[in-house]
Amino acid sequence: MQAKSAHDTVVIGGGALGLLSALVLARTGVRVVLLEREVVGAESSWAGGGIVSPLYPWRYSPAVTALAHWSQDFYPRLAEQLLEQTQIDPEVYVTGLYWLDLDDGAEALAWAQREGRALQSVDIAAVQRAVPALAAGFGRALQMADVANVRNPRLVKALRAALQQMPNVTVHEQCAVSGFIRDGGRITGVQTAQGDVHADQVVLAAGAWSGELMKTLGIELPVVPVKGQMILYKCAEGFLPAMVLAKGRYAIPRRDGHILIGSTLEHAGFDKTTTEEALASLKASAVELLPALADAEMVGHWAGLRPGSPEGIPYIGPVPGYEGLWLNCGHYRNGLVLAPASCQLLADLMLGREPIVDPAPYAPAGRLTSVG
């Protein structure tokens, strides 16, 4: 890699947030180089479930809600754009989502009325008819019929393919960033084992690793890894026609009959090993939701690291005192949900355009502290 590079922007991180940040910027003519420490799309973006909604949207702040609503409305168009450009279908699959036996159902319905979202109470007998595989014994249900899930490994594959087609984008994998290049109060690039990469702007979108990189500047960014384990079953197509969620665990159907069950929440640093304890717990949840899974073939068990942040509110915007450095990280459990809006907002701010939502809640200013 050359020491000097004619790049407008360096994006650190090749997950959904980094890939889509690069794509949105590149579509405006910006010259982008994306640096990924391992392989593009292989961390949290690959490991997640891909529900295009926060698990319990009414429990989040208006800041998360604003990004979620914009993204949910945009996802079908994003999938169409990527399919047309790359011939890779991210499979945005509208199945709807049932929440079963919630303790805060009244709050959920009040939130939906306030926000104009189509969440409704459904008779449990109607749910059983719609989802015959569902276990008996549930008493109450809420449904949002328009919730989709995206097949996240295919989404990141499509994003990568889209970037590869663009002459103003360069992607470097196996290229870990170790620090930032400073010129007075300005960030002018990044340091890597393959050499320095210079640019006018640097975007940090490194997921759970973002906090570690900010420490090299003496800044405490409260983004920490939170491990999540999931399991995957292969069933017949149509076995599960809708997503179901109870007791914090969910089942997500893919079009081809694969069923995802997730997920754990573990604070174990950067350890991504799977455990027998989590496997047993996830299998128990699977059978509790869908008894027929006791006899189904389990075809996968993995772990990913979410970028945990206070209240799950991401950091999007410029870093005060470090001109040229931008954040797009800390999305916790909602990276895939919030990605389209987050990346559009970032681009709006970087290019001086009217932002799609009020950027104030996500601004790094006032939310960062010095290490020490």
Side-chain angles (χ1 to χ4, degrees), residues 74-111:
F74 185 75
Y75 248 111
R77 196 183 337 161
L78 174 64
E80 288 168 12
Q81 289 172 353
L82 290 171
L83 177 58
E84 184 178 350
Q85 186 177 349
T86 69
Q87 282 67 63
I88 298 169
D89 186 0
E91 290 192 14
V92 174
Y93 182 27
V94 179
T95 63
L97 172 58
Y98 291 101
W99 289 267
L100 304 168
D101 289 356
L102 285 169
D103 292 330
D104 58 351
E107 290 91 332
L109 290 167
W111 169 87

PDB file of all heavy atoms in Angstrom, residues 74-111:
ATOM      1  N   PHE A  74     -36.921   2.384   4.083  1.00  0.00           N
ATOM      2  CA  PHE A  74     -35.968   2.427   2.981  1.00  0.00           C
ATOM      3  C   PHE A  74     -35.484   1.042   2.546  1.00  0.00           C
ATOM      4  O   PHE A  74     -35.048   0.861   1.408  1.00  0.00           O
ATOM      5  CB  PHE A  74     -34.764   3.294   3.368  1.00  0.00           C
ATOM      6  CG  PHE A  74     -33.764   3.504   2.258  1.00  0.00           C
ATOM      7  CD1 PHE A  74     -34.047   4.368   1.219  1.00  0.00           C
ATOM      8  CD2 PHE A  74     -32.556   2.824   2.258  1.00  0.00           C
ATOM      9  CE1 PHE A  74     -33.139   4.565   0.182  1.00  0.00           C
ATOM     10  CE2 PHE A  74     -31.639   3.014   1.227  1.00  0.00           C
ATOM     11  CZ  PHE A  74     -31.930   3.890   0.192  1.00  0.00           C
ATOM     12  N   TYR A  75     -35.543   0.057   3.432  1.00  0.00           N
ATOM     13  CA  TYR A  75     -34.930  -1.244   3.159  1.00  0.00           C
ATOM     14  C   TYR A  75     -35.392  -1.904   1.849  1.00  0.00           C
ATOM     15  O   TYR A  75     -34.556  -2.423   1.091  1.00  0.00           O
ATOM     16  CB  TYR A  75     -35.130  -2.206   4.335  1.00  0.00           C
ATOM     17  CG  TYR A  75     -33.829  -2.528   5.034  1.00  0.00           C
ATOM     18  CD1 TYR A  75     -33.568  -2.071   6.309  1.00  0.00           C
ATOM     19  CD2 TYR A  75     -32.848  -3.289   4.407  1.00  0.00           C
ATOM     20  CE1 TYR A  75     -32.360  -2.343   6.956  1.00  0.00           C
ATOM     21  CE2 TYR A  75     -31.640  -3.577   5.037  1.00  0.00           C
ATOM     22  CZ  TYR A  75     -31.408  -3.104   6.307  1.00  0.00           C
ATOM     23  OH  TYR A  75     -30.216  -3.375   6.924  1.00  0.00           O
ATOM     24  N   PRO A  76     -36.682  -1.919   1.539  1.00  0.00           N
ATOM     25  CA  PRO A  76     -37.078  -2.554   0.273  1.00  0.00           C
ATOM     26  C   PRO A  76     -36.384  -1.913  -0.931  1.00  0.00           C
ATOM     27  O   PRO A  76     -35.958  -2.613  -1.852  1.00  0.00           O
ATOM     28  CB  PRO A  76     -38.591  -2.336   0.241  1.00  0.00           C
ATOM     29  CG  PRO A  76     -38.982  -2.217   1.679  1.00  0.00           C
ATOM     30  CD  PRO A  76     -37.847  -1.490   2.339  1.00  0.00           C
ATOM     31  N   ARG A  77     -36.256  -0.588  -0.925  1.00  0.00           N
ATOM     32  CA  ARG A  77     -35.593   0.103  -2.029  1.00  0.00           C
ATOM     33  C   ARG A  77     -34.108  -0.237  -2.071  1.00  0.00           C
ATOM     34  O   ARG A  77     -33.531  -0.442  -3.141  1.00  0.00           O
ATOM     35  CB  ARG A  77     -35.786   1.620  -1.888  1.00  0.00           C
ATOM     36  CG  ARG A  77     -35.468   2.363  -3.195  1.00  0.00           C
ATOM     37  CD  ARG A  77     -35.577   3.870  -3.080  1.00  0.00           C
ATOM     38  NE  ARG A  77     -36.434   4.330  -2.007  1.00  0.00           N
ATOM     39  CZ  ARG A  77     -36.373   5.571  -1.517  1.00  0.00           C
ATOM     40  NH1 ARG A  77     -35.484   6.432  -1.979  1.00  0.00           N
ATOM     41  NH2 ARG A  77     -37.183   5.952  -0.550  1.00  0.00           N
ATOM     42  N   LEU A  78     -33.478  -0.316  -0.888  1.00  0.00           N
ATOM     43  CA  LEU A  78     -32.056  -0.681  -0.837  1.00  0.00           C
ATOM     44  C   LEU A  78     -31.847  -2.063  -1.439  1.00  0.00           C
ATOM     45  O   LEU A  78     -30.917  -2.278  -2.230  1.00  0.00           O
ATOM     46  CB  LEU A  78     -31.565  -0.646   0.612  1.00  0.00           C
ATOM     47  CG  LEU A  78     -30.131  -1.149   0.840  1.00  0.00           C
ATOM     48  CD1 LEU A  78     -29.122  -0.259   0.121  1.00  0.00           C
ATOM     49  CD2 LEU A  78     -29.821  -1.219   2.345  1.00  0.00           C
ATOM     50  N   ALA A  79     -32.709  -3.002  -1.067  1.00  0.00           N
ATOM     51  CA  ALA A  79     -32.589  -4.365  -1.593  1.00  0.00           C
ATOM     52  C   ALA A  79     -32.759  -4.391  -3.109  1.00  0.00           C
ATOM     53  O   ALA A  79     -32.009  -5.081  -3.817  1.00  0.00           O
ATOM     54  CB  ALA A  79     -33.625  -5.269  -0.929  1.00  0.00           C
ATOM     55  N   GLU A  80     -33.715  -3.617  -3.620  1.00  0.00           N
ATOM     56  CA  GLU A  80     -33.933  -3.550  -5.068  1.00  0.00           C
ATOM     57  C   GLU A  80     -32.706  -2.974  -5.778  1.00  0.00           C
ATOM     58  O   GLU A  80     -32.275  -3.477  -6.822  1.00  0.00           O
ATOM     59  CB  GLU A  80     -35.164  -2.683  -5.372  1.00  0.00           C
ATOM     60  CG  GLU A  80     -36.483  -3.337  -5.020  1.00  0.00           C
ATOM     61  CD  GLU A  80     -37.636  -2.339  -5.062  1.00  0.00           C
ATOM     62  OE1 GLU A  80     -37.433  -1.216  -5.580  1.00  0.00           O
ATOM     63  OE2 GLU A  80     -38.727  -2.682  -4.574  1.00  0.00           O
ATOM     64  N   GLN A  81     -32.137  -1.896  -5.210  1.00  0.00           N
ATOM     65  CA  GLN A  81     -30.950  -1.270  -5.801  1.00  0.00           C
ATOM     66  C   GLN A  81     -29.787  -2.258  -5.866  1.00  0.00           C
ATOM     67  O   GLN A  81     -29.100  -2.371  -6.886  1.00  0.00           O
ATOM     68  CB  GLN A  81     -30.531  -0.043  -4.978  1.00  0.00           C
ATOM     69  CG  GLN A  81     -31.462   1.147  -5.079  1.00  0.00           C
ATOM     70  CD  GLN A  81     -31.079   2.251  -4.084  1.00  0.00           C
ATOM     71  OE1 GLN A  81     -30.200   2.081  -3.245  1.00  0.00           O
ATOM     72  NE2 GLN A  81     -31.745   3.386  -4.196  1.00  0.00           N
ATOM     73  N   LEU A  82     -29.561  -2.970  -4.754  1.00  0.00           N
ATOM     74  CA  LEU A  82     -28.437  -3.898  -4.699  1.00  0.00           C
ATOM     75  C   LEU A  82     -28.646  -5.084  -5.638  1.00  0.00           C
ATOM     76  O   LEU A  82     -27.710  -5.534  -6.306  1.00  0.00           O
ATOM     77  CB  LEU A  82     -28.221  -4.383  -3.261  1.00  0.00           C
ATOM     78  CG  LEU A  82     -27.673  -3.333  -2.294  1.00  0.00           C
ATOM     79  CD1 LEU A  82     -27.709  -3.851  -0.861  1.00  0.00           C
ATOM     80  CD2 LEU A  82     -26.249  -2.931  -2.680  1.00  0.00           C
ATOM     81  N   LEU A  83     -29.869  -5.605  -5.707  1.00  0.00           N
ATOM     82  CA  LEU A  83     -30.154  -6.722  -6.612  1.00  0.00           C
ATOM     83  C   LEU A  83     -29.929  -6.306  -8.058  1.00  0.00           C
ATOM     84  O   LEU A  83     -29.309  -7.032  -8.844  1.00  0.00           O
ATOM     85  CB  LEU A  83     -31.595  -7.211  -6.414  1.00  0.00           C
ATOM     86  CG  LEU A  83     -32.068  -8.327  -7.346  1.00  0.00           C
ATOM     87  CD1 LEU A  83     -31.187  -9.557  -7.234  1.00  0.00           C
ATOM     88  CD2 LEU A  83     -33.530  -8.670  -7.060  1.00  0.00           C
ATOM     89  N   GLU A  84     -30.413  -5.118  -8.407  1.00  0.00           N
ATOM     90  CA  GLU A  84     -30.254  -4.631  -9.781  1.00  0.00           C
ATOM     91  C   GLU A  84     -28.778  -4.418 -10.119  1.00  0.00           C
ATOM     92  O   GLU A  84     -28.322  -4.754 -11.210  1.00  0.00           O
ATOM     93  CB  GLU A  84     -31.023  -3.318  -9.952  1.00  0.00           C
ATOM     94  CG  GLU A  84     -31.001  -2.792 -11.375  1.00  0.00           C
ATOM     95  CD  GLU A  84     -31.813  -1.514 -11.543  1.00  0.00           C
ATOM     96  OE1 GLU A  84     -32.554  -1.137 -10.603  1.00  0.00           O
ATOM     97  OE2 GLU A  84     -31.700  -0.880 -12.604  1.00  0.00           O
ATOM     98  N   GLN A  85     -28.019  -3.873  -9.146  1.00  0.00           N
ATOM     99  CA  GLN A  85     -26.613  -3.547  -9.413  1.00  0.00           C
ATOM    100  C   GLN A  85     -25.707  -4.780  -9.393  1.00  0.00           C
ATOM    101  O   GLN A  85     -24.744  -4.862 -10.150  1.00  0.00           O
ATOM    102  CB  GLN A  85     -26.116  -2.523  -8.382  1.00  0.00           C
ATOM    103  CG  GLN A  85     -24.705  -2.014  -8.648  1.00  0.00           C
ATOM    104  CD  GLN A  85     -24.269  -0.955  -7.647  1.00  0.00           C
ATOM    105  OE1 GLN A  85     -25.064  -0.449  -6.873  1.00  0.00           O
ATOM    106  NE2 GLN A  85     -22.992  -0.622  -7.669  1.00  0.00           N
ATOM    107  N   THR A  86     -26.010  -5.746  -8.511  1.00  0.00           N
ATOM    108  CA  THR A  86     -25.065  -6.847  -8.268  1.00  0.00           C
ATOM    109  C   THR A  86     -25.606  -8.234  -8.618  1.00  0.00           C
ATOM    110  O   THR A  86     -24.841  -9.203  -8.623  1.00  0.00           O
ATOM    111  CB  THR A  86     -24.653  -6.872  -6.790  1.00  0.00           C
ATOM    112  OG1 THR A  86     -25.789  -7.266  -5.995  1.00  0.00           O
ATOM    113  CG2 THR A  86     -24.148  -5.510  -6.318  1.00  0.00           C
ATOM    114  N   GLN A  87     -26.924  -8.346  -8.850  1.00  0.00           N
ATOM    115  CA  GLN A  87     -27.587  -9.643  -9.045  1.00  0.00           C
ATOM    116  C   GLN A  87     -27.523 -10.523  -7.789  1.00  0.00           C
ATOM    117  O   GLN A  87     -27.746 -11.730  -7.848  1.00  0.00           O
ATOM    118  CB  GLN A  87     -27.015 -10.421 -10.245  1.00  0.00           C
ATOM    119  CG  GLN A  87     -27.529  -9.920 -11.591  1.00  0.00           C
ATOM    120  CD  GLN A  87     -27.053  -8.520 -11.917  1.00  0.00           C
ATOM    121  OE1 GLN A  87     -25.860  -8.287 -12.066  1.00  0.00           O
ATOM    122  NE2 GLN A  87     -27.982  -7.574 -12.036  1.00  0.00           N
ATOM    123  N   ILE A  88     -27.213  -9.919  -6.659  1.00  0.00           N
ATOM    124  CA  ILE A  88     -27.257 -10.629  -5.364  1.00  0.00           C
ATOM    125  C   ILE A  88     -28.462 -10.110  -4.596  1.00  0.00           C
ATOM    126  O   ILE A  88     -28.582  -8.912  -4.354  1.00  0.00           O
ATOM    127  CB  ILE A  88     -25.966 -10.396  -4.553  1.00  0.00           C
ATOM    128  CG1 ILE A  88     -24.750 -10.938  -5.305  1.00  0.00           C
ATOM    129  CG2 ILE A  88     -26.072 -11.045  -3.164  1.00  0.00           C
ATOM    130  CD1 ILE A  88     -23.418 -10.521  -4.724  1.00  0.00           C
ATOM    131  N   ASP A  89     -29.356 -11.006  -4.216  1.00  0.00           N
ATOM    132  CA  ASP A  89     -30.592 -10.622  -3.527  1.00  0.00           C
ATOM    133  C   ASP A  89     -30.388 -10.683  -2.018  1.00  0.00           C
ATOM    134  O   ASP A  89     -30.169 -11.772  -1.472  1.00  0.00           O
ATOM    135  CB  ASP A  89     -31.721 -11.579  -3.937  1.00  0.00           C
ATOM    136  CG  ASP A  89     -33.076 -11.158  -3.381  1.00  0.00           C
ATOM    137  OD1 ASP A  89     -33.147 -10.136  -2.674  1.00  0.00           O
ATOM    138  OD2 ASP A  89     -34.062 -11.878  -3.664  1.00  0.00           O
ATOM    139  N   PRO A  90     -30.457  -9.549  -1.319  1.00  0.00           N
ATOM    140  CA  PRO A  90     -30.320  -9.578   0.142  1.00  0.00           C
ATOM    141  C   PRO A  90     -31.509 -10.236   0.850  1.00  0.00           C
ATOM    142  O   PRO A  90     -31.470 -10.436   2.060  1.00  0.00           O
ATOM    143  CB  PRO A  90     -30.236  -8.093   0.531  1.00  0.00           C
ATOM    144  CG  PRO A  90     -29.930  -7.356  -0.736  1.00  0.00           C
ATOM    145  CD  PRO A  90     -30.534  -8.172  -1.834  1.00  0.00           C
ATOM    146  N   GLU A  91     -32.537 -10.573   0.093  1.00  0.00           N
ATOM    147  CA  GLU A  91     -33.727 -11.257   0.628  1.00  0.00           C
ATOM    148  C   GLU A  91     -34.357 -10.495   1.792  1.00  0.00           C
ATOM    149  O   GLU A  91     -34.369 -10.963   2.935  1.00  0.00           O
ATOM    150  CB  GLU A  91     -33.394 -12.699   1.038  1.00  0.00           C
ATOM    151  CG  GLU A  91     -33.119 -13.605  -0.147  1.00  0.00           C
ATOM    152  CD  GLU A  91     -33.077 -15.082   0.218  1.00  0.00           C
ATOM    153  OE1 GLU A  91     -33.510 -15.444   1.329  1.00  0.00           O
ATOM    154  OE2 GLU A  91     -32.603 -15.872  -0.608  1.00  0.00           O
ATOM    155  N   VAL A  92     -34.876  -9.326   1.490  1.00  0.00           N
ATOM    156  CA  VAL A  92     -35.714  -8.623   2.460  1.00  0.00           C
ATOM    157  C   VAL A  92     -37.078  -9.321   2.415  1.00  0.00           C
ATOM    158  O   VAL A  92     -37.820  -9.216   1.446  1.00  0.00           O
ATOM    159  CB  VAL A  92     -35.819  -7.119   2.126  1.00  0.00           C
ATOM    160  CG1 VAL A  92     -36.816  -6.437   3.050  1.00  0.00           C
ATOM    161  CG2 VAL A  92     -34.446  -6.455   2.258  1.00  0.00           C
ATOM    162  N   TYR A  93     -37.374 -10.034   3.484  1.00  0.00           N
ATOM    163  CA  TYR A  93     -38.486 -10.991   3.524  1.00  0.00           C
ATOM    164  C   TYR A  93     -39.514 -10.491   4.538  1.00  0.00           C
ATOM    165  O   TYR A  93     -39.258 -10.519   5.751  1.00  0.00           O
ATOM    166  CB  TYR A  93     -37.913 -12.349   3.913  1.00  0.00           C
ATOM    167  CG  TYR A  93     -38.868 -13.523   3.969  1.00  0.00           C
ATOM    168  CD1 TYR A  93     -40.023 -13.572   3.206  1.00  0.00           C
ATOM    169  CD2 TYR A  93     -38.560 -14.624   4.780  1.00  0.00           C
ATOM    170  CE1 TYR A  93     -40.865 -14.676   3.259  1.00  0.00           C
ATOM    171  CE2 TYR A  93     -39.401 -15.730   4.832  1.00  0.00           C
ATOM    172  CZ  TYR A  93     -40.546 -15.750   4.078  1.00  0.00           C
ATOM    173  OH  TYR A  93     -41.379 -16.839   4.133  1.00  0.00           O
ATOM    174  N   VAL A  94     -40.652 -10.009   4.046  1.00  0.00           N
ATOM    175  CA  VAL A  94     -41.694  -9.461   4.926  1.00  0.00           C
ATOM    176  C   VAL A  94     -42.545 -10.619   5.446  1.00  0.00           C
ATOM    177  O   VAL A  94     -43.345 -11.206   4.712  1.00  0.00           O
ATOM    178  CB  VAL A  94     -42.564  -8.432   4.181  1.00  0.00           C
ATOM    179  CG1 VAL A  94     -43.658  -7.896   5.116  1.00  0.00           C
ATOM    180  CG2 VAL A  94     -41.709  -7.285   3.650  1.00  0.00           C
ATOM    181  N   THR A  95     -42.352 -10.944   6.717  1.00  0.00           N
ATOM    182  CA  THR A  95     -43.101 -12.049   7.339  1.00  0.00           C
ATOM    183  C   THR A  95     -44.021 -11.560   8.450  1.00  0.00           C
ATOM    184  O   THR A  95     -44.927 -12.277   8.869  1.00  0.00           O
ATOM    185  CB  THR A  95     -42.130 -13.061   7.979  1.00  0.00           C
ATOM    186  OG1 THR A  95     -41.407 -12.405   9.026  1.00  0.00           O
ATOM    187  CG2 THR A  95     -41.163 -13.628   6.958  1.00  0.00           C
ATOM    188  N   GLY A  96     -43.766 -10.359   8.955  1.00  0.00           N
ATOM    189  CA  GLY A  96     -44.439  -9.923  10.168  1.00  0.00           C
ATOM    190  C   GLY A  96     -43.793 -10.552  11.388  1.00  0.00           C
ATOM    191  O   GLY A  96     -43.004 -11.513  11.287  1.00  0.00           O
ATOM    192  N   LEU A  97     -44.109  -9.994  12.537  1.00  0.00           N
ATOM    193  CA  LEU A  97     -43.515 -10.440  13.804  1.00  0.00           C
ATOM    194  C   LEU A  97     -44.591 -10.488  14.877  1.00  0.00           C
ATOM    195  O   LEU A  97     -45.359  -9.541  15.038  1.00  0.00           O
ATOM    196  CB  LEU A  97     -42.393  -9.465  14.214  1.00  0.00           C
ATOM    197  CG  LEU A  97     -41.749  -9.602  15.588  1.00  0.00           C
ATOM    198  CD1 LEU A  97     -41.148 -10.979  15.789  1.00  0.00           C
ATOM    199  CD2 LEU A  97     -40.670  -8.532  15.762  1.00  0.00           C
ATOM    200  N   TYR A  98     -44.643 -11.634  15.578  1.00  0.00           N
ATOM    201  CA  TYR A  98     -45.546 -11.790  16.716  1.00  0.00           C
ATOM    202  C   TYR A  98     -44.747 -11.720  18.020  1.00  0.00           C
ATOM    203  O   TYR A  98     -43.758 -12.443  18.180  1.00  0.00           O
ATOM    204  CB  TYR A  98     -46.259 -13.146  16.670  1.00  0.00           C
ATOM    205  CG  TYR A  98     -47.270 -13.294  15.559  1.00  0.00           C
ATOM    206  CD1 TYR A  98     -46.949 -13.990  14.402  1.00  0.00           C
ATOM    207  CD2 TYR A  98     -48.560 -12.771  15.681  1.00  0.00           C
ATOM    208  CE1 TYR A  98     -47.878 -14.156  13.379  1.00  0.00           C
ATOM    209  CE2 TYR A  98     -49.503 -12.933  14.668  1.00  0.00           C
ATOM    210  CZ  TYR A  98     -49.146 -13.623  13.524  1.00  0.00           C
ATOM    211  OH  TYR A  98     -50.079 -13.780  12.520  1.00  0.00           O
ATOM    212  N   TRP A  99     -45.186 -10.857  18.933  1.00  0.00           N
ATOM    213  CA  TRP A  99     -44.652 -10.843  20.295  1.00  0.00           C
ATOM    214  C   TRP A  99     -45.643 -11.575  21.192  1.00  0.00           C
ATOM    215  O   TRP A  99     -46.838 -11.278  21.185  1.00  0.00           O
ATOM    216  CB  TRP A  99     -44.507  -9.409  20.810  1.00  0.00           C
ATOM    217  CG  TRP A  99     -43.408  -8.601  20.190  1.00  0.00           C
ATOM    218  CD1 TRP A  99     -42.142  -8.451  20.648  1.00  0.00           C
ATOM    219  CD2 TRP A  99     -43.498  -7.781  19.013  1.00  0.00           C
ATOM    220  NE1 TRP A  99     -41.423  -7.595  19.835  1.00  0.00           N
ATOM    221  CE2 TRP A  99     -42.224  -7.180  18.819  1.00  0.00           C
ATOM    222  CE3 TRP A  99     -44.511  -7.496  18.093  1.00  0.00           C
ATOM    223  CZ2 TRP A  99     -41.960  -6.309  17.767  1.00  0.00           C
ATOM    224  CZ3 TRP A  99     -44.249  -6.642  17.038  1.00  0.00           C
ATOM    225  CH2 TRP A  99     -42.976  -6.065  16.879  1.00  0.00           C
ATOM    226  N   LEU A 100     -45.148 -12.522  21.971  1.00  0.00           N
ATOM    227  CA  LEU A 100     -46.030 -13.378  22.772  1.00  0.00           C
ATOM    228  C   LEU A 100     -45.858 -13.100  24.258  1.00  0.00           C
ATOM    229  O   LEU A 100     -44.728 -12.993  24.761  1.00  0.00           O
ATOM    230  CB  LEU A 100     -45.709 -14.847  22.472  1.00  0.00           C
ATOM    231  CG  LEU A 100     -45.794 -15.223  20.981  1.00  0.00           C
ATOM    232  CD1 LEU A 100     -45.191 -16.593  20.737  1.00  0.00           C
ATOM    233  CD2 LEU A 100     -47.235 -15.168  20.494  1.00  0.00           C
ATOM    234  N   ASP A 101     -46.980 -12.983  24.957  1.00  0.00           N
ATOM    235  CA  ASP A 101     -47.018 -12.855  26.415  1.00  0.00           C
ATOM    236  C   ASP A 101     -46.101 -11.750  26.937  1.00  0.00           C
ATOM    237  O   ASP A 101     -45.313 -11.945  27.877  1.00  0.00           O
ATOM    238  CB  ASP A 101     -46.654 -14.201  27.076  1.00  0.00           C
ATOM    239  CG  ASP A 101     -47.763 -15.232  26.908  1.00  0.00           C
ATOM    240  OD1 ASP A 101     -48.826 -14.890  26.352  1.00  0.00           O
ATOM    241  OD2 ASP A 101     -47.561 -16.379  27.331  1.00  0.00           O
ATOM    242  N   LEU A 102     -46.225 -10.565  26.351  1.00  0.00           N
ATOM    243  CA  LEU A 102     -45.443  -9.414  26.815  1.00  0.00           C
ATOM    244  C   LEU A 102     -45.947  -8.917  28.161  1.00  0.00           C
ATOM    245  O   LEU A 102     -47.150  -8.939  28.440  1.00  0.00           O
ATOM    246  CB  LEU A 102     -45.558  -8.261  25.813  1.00  0.00           C
ATOM    247  CG  LEU A 102     -44.780  -8.363  24.505  1.00  0.00           C
ATOM    248  CD1 LEU A 102     -45.248  -7.269  23.548  1.00  0.00           C
ATOM    249  CD2 LEU A 102     -43.288  -8.248  24.768  1.00  0.00           C
ATOM    250  N   ASP A 103     -45.027  -8.425  28.976  1.00  0.00           N
ATOM    251  CA  ASP A 103     -45.416  -7.787  30.234  1.00  0.00           C
ATOM    252  C   ASP A 103     -45.813  -6.332  30.022  1.00  0.00           C
ATOM    253  O   ASP A 103     -46.513  -5.753  30.856  1.00  0.00           O
ATOM    254  CB  ASP A 103     -44.256  -7.843  31.245  1.00  0.00           C
ATOM    255  CG  ASP A 103     -43.979  -9.266  31.701  1.00  0.00           C
ATOM    256  OD1 ASP A 103     -44.934 -10.074  31.743  1.00  0.00           O
ATOM    257  OD2 ASP A 103     -42.808  -9.571  32.003  1.00  0.00           O
ATOM    258  N   ASP A 104     -45.328  -5.737  28.920  1.00  0.00           N
ATOM    259  CA  ASP A 104     -45.587  -4.316  28.692  1.00  0.00           C
ATOM    260  C   ASP A 104     -46.357  -4.083  27.396  1.00  0.00           C
ATOM    261  O   ASP A 104     -46.088  -3.132  26.652  1.00  0.00           O
ATOM    262  CB  ASP A 104     -44.280  -3.510  28.703  1.00  0.00           C
ATOM    263  CG  ASP A 104     -43.262  -3.985  27.674  1.00  0.00           C
ATOM    264  OD1 ASP A 104     -43.484  -5.045  27.056  1.00  0.00           O
ATOM    265  OD2 ASP A 104     -42.237  -3.290  27.501  1.00  0.00           O
ATOM    266  N   GLY A 105     -47.339  -4.957  27.125  1.00  0.00           N
ATOM    267  CA  GLY A 105     -48.122  -4.846  25.904  1.00  0.00           C
ATOM    268  C   GLY A 105     -48.885  -3.545  25.795  1.00  0.00           C
ATOM    269  O   GLY A 105     -49.004  -2.971  24.701  1.00  0.00           O
ATOM    270  N   ALA A 106     -49.409  -3.046  26.923  1.00  0.00           N
ATOM    271  CA  ALA A 106     -50.163  -1.786  26.889  1.00  0.00           C
ATOM    272  C   ALA A 106     -49.255  -0.635  26.470  1.00  0.00           C
ATOM    273  O   ALA A 106     -49.647   0.230  25.667  1.00  0.00           O
ATOM    274  CB  ALA A 106     -50.779  -1.510  28.268  1.00  0.00           C
ATOM    275  N   GLU A 107     -48.019  -0.631  26.992  1.00  0.00           N
ATOM    276  CA  GLU A 107     -47.061   0.410  26.611  1.00  0.00           C
ATOM    277  C   GLU A 107     -46.712   0.294  25.127  1.00  0.00           C
ATOM    278  O   GLU A 107     -46.557   1.300  24.435  1.00  0.00           O
ATOM    279  CB  GLU A 107     -45.779   0.301  27.449  1.00  0.00           C
ATOM    280  CG  GLU A 107     -45.950   0.687  28.903  1.00  0.00           C
ATOM    281  CD  GLU A 107     -46.324  -0.502  29.781  1.00  0.00           C
ATOM    282  OE1 GLU A 107     -46.952  -1.470  29.280  1.00  0.00           O
ATOM    283  OE2 GLU A 107     -46.003  -0.460  30.978  1.00  0.00           O
ATOM    284  N   ALA A 108     -46.609  -0.939  24.647  1.00  0.00           N
ATOM    285  CA  ALA A 108     -46.298  -1.149  23.234  1.00  0.00           C
ATOM    286  C   ALA A 108     -47.396  -0.584  22.340  1.00  0.00           C
ATOM    287  O   ALA A 108     -47.120   0.099  21.339  1.00  0.00           O
ATOM    288  CB  ALA A 108     -46.114  -2.638  22.960  1.00  0.00           C
ATOM    289  N   LEU A 109     -48.640  -0.851  22.681  1.00  0.00           N
ATOM    290  CA  LEU A 109     -49.757  -0.360  21.874  1.00  0.00           C
ATOM    291  C   LEU A 109     -49.859   1.160  21.930  1.00  0.00           C
ATOM    292  O   LEU A 109     -50.155   1.811  20.911  1.00  0.00           O
ATOM    293  CB  LEU A 109     -51.066  -1.004  22.358  1.00  0.00           C
ATOM    294  CG  LEU A 109     -51.191  -2.505  22.056  1.00  0.00           C
ATOM    295  CD1 LEU A 109     -52.352  -3.115  22.829  1.00  0.00           C
ATOM    296  CD2 LEU A 109     -51.369  -2.735  20.554  1.00  0.00           C
ATOM    297  N   ALA A 110     -49.586   1.738  23.102  1.00  0.00           N
ATOM    298  CA  ALA A 110     -49.610   3.199  23.223  1.00  0.00           C
ATOM    299  C   ALA A 110     -48.510   3.820  22.360  1.00  0.00           C
ATOM    300  O   ALA A 110     -48.722   4.845  21.697  1.00  0.00           O
ATOM    301  CB  ALA A 110     -49.433   3.607  24.684  1.00  0.00           C
ATOM    302  N   TRP A 111     -47.340   3.194  22.367  1.00  0.00           N
ATOM    303  CA  TRP A 111     -46.220   3.675  21.539  1.00  0.00           C
ATOM    304  C   TRP A 111     -46.602   3.627  20.058  1.00  0.00           C
ATOM    305  O   TRP A 111     -46.356   4.571  19.305  1.00  0.00           O
ATOM    306  CB  TRP A 111     -44.988   2.801  21.804  1.00  0.00           C
ATOM    307  CG  TRP A 111     -43.854   3.006  20.846  1.00  0.00           C
ATOM    308  CD1 TRP A 111     -42.850   3.926  20.949  1.00  0.00           C
ATOM    309  CD2 TRP A 111     -43.619   2.285  19.622  1.00  0.00           C
ATOM    310  NE1 TRP A 111     -42.000   3.817  19.867  1.00  0.00           N
ATOM    311  CE2 TRP A 111     -42.450   2.815  19.037  1.00  0.00           C
ATOM    312  CE3 TRP A 111     -44.272   1.240  18.969  1.00  0.00           C
ATOM    313  CZ2 TRP A 111     -41.925   2.339  17.836  1.00  0.00           C
ATOM    314  CZ3 TRP A 111     -43.763   0.769  17.772  1.00  0.00           C
ATOM    315  CH2 TRP A 111     -42.600   1.314  17.219  1.00  0.00           C
TER     316      TRP A 111
END
